[in-house]
Amino acid sequence: MTELESVLDPRGPQERPFLTLAPRVTLEDLRQGPILFYNNTKLDFCNYDETFVQLKANFAKLGISNFVDVRETVRGKSSHALKAYGADLVRRTAPKAAVVALGDMGTSPATTIVTIGIEEAGVPAVYITAPPGSDLVKSVAFYRAGHLCLSSIDIYQASTREEVAREVDRQTQFILDSLTLPPDQIERCAAIDFALDKVPPAANGLIEFDAAVDPADPAAYVEAVNDLFTSLRLTDGLPIVPPTRRRYEDMLRYCPWE
């Protein structure tokens, strides 16, 4: 019996950037404005436009009414271009803060990158999302920024205007907090509750674990490695042949290429 120390990590090397969030502003700054309201064209569907209508009405009650609206698609842009596009939105509108919408499905990842671009350009932003896009946004933001202010509202294409308005009312304080909380508190809004792949790959490309098994056993490590990969959510549930160092080296000896 022996202990297996590591297997090869199938994820390979990963960068895990952690975005430096733009400095947040004061409520008075929001009153002076302008606040960029960016519509990626998804608010044109069904009653989704009520999202900005109701949020602006709620802001107006606080004396916030200097808005600049931009309605443009994110489609057809590369990741690099999307981030540059976010910075260009800031250049064109010179906002004190930005509200971005809507991340409901297909354009959700692209709009996440635009929001990151806005933050990198020095403007605090909050991105309004809706299921199932909210989960897509979380995953992209988790890997590309580490944290980001995301406001998920529970609406769908059959939602009435009243239902959309209620959801916006429920999230208005969170949206305000996302734009105004001081540095020692903003993580309360920016932290991403992402269940998958919390621990990044090790620099040496190995996953370490303990498993008392017989290496001569042709099925050595199978149960331990399958349990490990399941806990890391790195498997679809089908059986895994453990990528041990020995099997890796055997493969290289067999393979005729470098």
Side-chain angles (χ1 to χ4, degrees):
M1 304 290 282
T2 185
E3 288 190 351
L4 174 67
E5 295 182 350
S6 60
V7 294
L8 299 180
D9 193 325
R11 297 172 294 174
Q14 287 184 5
E15 291 185 8
R16 291 288 183 91
F18 196 77
L19 174 69
T20 299
L21 294 173
R24 275 26 214 175
V25 296
T26 66
L27 195 60
E28 186 55 36
D29 289 327
L30 294 182
R31 291 188 177 109
Q32 293 176 9
I35 300 175
L36 168 64
F37 275 77
Y38 173 68
N39 169 14
N40 63 2
T41 73
K42 296 309 293 286
L43 294 182
D44 300 351
F45 295 90
C46 306
N47 293 316
Y48 285 171
D49 64 312
E50 186 68 23
T51 302
F52 277 179
V53 171
Q54 185 66 16
L55 184 58
K56 289 178 178 179
N58 290 345
F59 277 11
K61 295 174 185 176
L62 299 172
I64 304 168
S65 58
N66 185 3
F67 309 127
V68 56
D69 291 282
V70 174
R71 176 193 172 277
E72 293 174 349
T73 186
V74 295
R75 292 181 173 88
K77 298 177 178 67
S78 67
S79 293
H80 179 76
L82 286 165
K83 191 175 288 189
Y85 175 66
D88 184 62
L89 286 171
V90 170
R91 181 190 60 78
R92 282 192 277 153
T93 61
K96 292 289 179 62
V99 179
V100 176
L102 178 72
D104 70 325
M105 191 56 188
T107 59
S108 300
T111 308
T112 306
I113 302 173
V114 172
T115 308
I116 293 170
I118 293 172
E119 287 278 352
E120 288 185 342
V123 173
V126 58
Y127 180 15
I128 299 176
T129 68
S134 295
D135 287 336
L136 285 171
V137 170
K138 280 184 182 181
S139 62
V140 174
F142 177 80
Y143 287 110
R144 288 184 175 268
H147 60 173
L148 200 66
C149 291
L150 308 173
S151 173
S152 180
I153 58 177
D154 190 14
I155 62 174
Y156 61 108
Q157 291 186 359
S159 295
T160 65
R161 288 194 172 274
E162 292 74 20
E163 289 169 337
V164 175
R166 281 198 298 270
E167 279 296 301
V168 172
D169 289 345
R170 185 179 63 84
Q171 284 291 297
T172 295
Q173 187 59 54
F174 177 88
I175 292 169
L176 284 168
D177 288 346
S178 294
L179 302 176
T180 60
L181 283 179
D184 62 336
Q185 298 179 38
I186 190 60
E187 198 61 25
R188 192 175 81 204
C189 297
I192 298 175
D193 180 21
F194 186 66
L196 305 180
D197 202 19
K198 286 285 191 181
V199 180
N204 64 3
L206 301 176
I207 298 176
E208 297 186 358
F209 71 106
D210 295 325
V213 294
D214 181 357
D217 182 349
Y221 320 128
V222 167
E223 290 185 357
V225 168
N226 276 272
D227 288 346
L228 172 66
F229 279 35
T230 297
S231 70
L232 293 173
R233 298 177 183 261
L234 296 177
T235 171
D236 57 6
L238 294 174
I240 298 168
V241 176
T244 62
R245 175 65 62 179
R246 177 181 60 79
R247 289 192 173 106
Y248 170 69
E249 291 174 350
D250 286 347
M251 181 271 293
L252 290 183
R253 280 191 292 271
Y254 172 80
C255 182
W257 301 286
E258 292 183 3

